[in-house]
Amino acid sequence: MPYSDYDVDKLARYLHLSPQQVMKLAERGRLPGRKVAGEWKFSKIDIHHWFENRIGLSDEEELVQVENVLDSSAPPEHTPEIVLADMLPKEAIAIPLDARTRNSVIEKMTELAAGTCLLWDQKAMAEAVHEREDMHSTALENGVALLHPRRPMAKILAEPFLALGHTAGGIPFGGGSTLTDVFFLICSTDDRTHLRVLARLSRLLTLPGFLDSLRKAGDPLSAWGLIRDQEASLQ
């Protein structure tokens, strides 16, 4: 089953920790787990969202560690390299993105993604992204939102890919005082790929000057070229 539980040993192997470290984190409430008949069990869904939240709060050094864990958690033949520029079709970039509200951003971004023919059900993706945003906003303090559904939607995707939109001005998106003007839509077909893309994209966003340059990009080709060139600097 794709969303079954980890036990302590399986989660330790996945996280590249010792079983003792996993138990200590669980007992301190730092890992989402529960005891069943005296044994720790960890839902794969809960661990996915724990990882997702950890990525959102990490600095560059921690993001590198997260990437290494995710890259090492499967055999090499099942770990293709994540290259964001390769996952971002130029036709999935809108500069400017014609949207002025949270709802219109989600509709326009999923419509943009559907225009690539890699997303087969724009309505279903929009509904899933709305649900995820209602649960907890993906907007960051740097004015970027990393839109995605709560779970990967493999049945409506030809392959994993990204879409990017930049609105002419910032809009209220996350419920706080920070306005958001850069939007990435992450379309993944499995949890692990989603987390790897999220970690890679988060690293890119922390590069000095990257966001300023992205906001100055005047067209999709310039934005795509910037992402390609800046990503090449990541080790």
Side-chain angles (χ1 to χ4, degrees), residues 157-173:
L157 294 170
E159 62 186 53
F161 73 101
L162 299 169
L164 165 64
H166 177 211
T167 54
I171 66 172
F173 195 84

Side-chain angles (χ1 to χ4, degrees), residues 41-60:
K41 298 293 181 182
F42 306 89
S43 161
K44 288 187 177 181
I45 298 175
D46 290 343
I47 292 299
H48 169 85
H49 290 297
W50 172 81
F51 235 138
E52 192 175 75
N53 290 334
R54 180 183 171 188
I55 289 170
L57 298 173
S58 295
D59 58 22
E60 166 68 13

